[in-house]
Amino acid sequence: MKTFNRAMTYTFLSLAAIVSIFPFLWMIVSVTNKSVDVTQGRLLPGTHLIANLQKLFETVEIVPALINSTIIAVISTILTLLLASLAGYGFEMFQSRGKDFVFTILLLSMMIPFAAIMVPLYRMFGSVSDTMPLFGIDTLGAVILPTATTAFFIFFFRQNTKMFPKDLVEAGRIDGLSELGVFFRIYVPTMKTTYAAAAIITFMNSWNNYLWPLVILQSPEKRTIPLLISNLGSSYSPDYGVIMSAIVIATLPTALVFFLMQKHFVAGMMGSVKG
């Protein structure tokens, strides 16, 4: 019976792995085929890889789009890690009468869909276009600022902070460290798995963000990689080989970030669940 259960488990996991990996493999194969082969569902590698890449770089300005997406993703990730971890640390380490009430309101804000606040955000950034040009409409700052931190990541860091040994904080205070000193010299190095998990999620969310950049960015030179790929697919006769080439290039940075930090990702997520 154990052998049968084990065989069924491995069979199910193998099927799940195939289903998960197949779209990625099909994407890789499609890069090497002509558009007509992609539409016909060809699953064998072709000989048009170089031609598709050449046409991609001739058709669109993909390098500026990659640079814009990189700037947005990196700055958003740094700001989210800093602000969310500070807030999560403060909610857990300091006592206040209204702390739990404020945290509950913060969690309730997660129920508000982004589409509901998109128009007010647009009007807000439009009103500061003259006084704060770095954060006005059609600027990368306007894309970054709304994603600087979220209620989810504040909750995520607070849950992980519950497992943080409070004795280390007290020891740091006794040694004369300020609260920021305790945070940066004790808390941050100890919670590196939590930071790694949050960094992966934040970077992927920022890199793949489509709706808000579509609304706030207007100039072609400010375009991010998801917007560029969307424009490639919206033509009258899209070249799917070229589109797949752009998608593969856009996937590489997120895949690299995940593989570099995957050892810490599971540990960071499990810490949040246990907390």
Side-chain angles (χ1 to χ4, degrees), residues 90-232:
F91 271 116
E92 184 60 27
M93 291 297 180
F94 300 107
Q95 301 302 319
S96 175
R97 182 177 301 175
K99 179 182 68 173
D100 292 334
F101 174 77
V102 173
F103 191 71
T104 301
I105 298 298
L106 188 67
L107 293 182
L108 288 175
S109 69
M110 295 172 61
M111 300 175 62
I112 303 174
F114 181 76
I117 62 173
M118 189 167 57
V119 173
L121 274 177
Y122 184 87
R123 291 174 61 89
M124 181 182 73
F125 283 108
S127 65
V128 300
S129 295
D130 295 331
T131 57
M132 301 176 64
L134 291 178
F135 298 99
I137 294 175
D138 197 30
T139 62
L140 298 185
V143 180
I144 295 170
L145 201 57
T147 62
T149 190
T150 63
F152 169 76
F153 283 110
I154 295 174
F155 167 78
F156 178 75
F157 274 100
R158 185 186 184 185
Q159 290 300 105
N160 279 275
T161 305
K162 291 180 182 294
M163 302 178 60
F164 184 77
K166 306 299 189 296
D167 294 342
L168 292 179
V169 176
E170 296 299 330
R173 290 169 179 169
I174 293 173
D175 288 341
L177 288 176
S178 64
E179 290 299 332
L180 285 178
V182 172
F183 178 81
F184 285 108
R185 300 179 64 178
I186 298 178
Y187 178 83
V188 172
T190 306
M191 304 293 288
K192 61 181 180 181
T193 56
T194 304
Y195 279 93
I200 291 173
I201 299 172
T202 306
F203 186 88
M204 288 184 174
N205 288 342
S206 298
W207 184 268
N208 296 320
N209 191 9
Y210 173 76
L211 182 58
W212 180 239
L214 176 66
V215 172
I216 201 69
L217 296 178
Q218 299 173 353
S219 303
E221 62 270 14
K222 301 290 181 62
R223 191 178 298 162
T224 60
I225 194 69
L227 298 182
L228 182 140
I229 294 173
S230 176
N231 287 341
L232 283 174

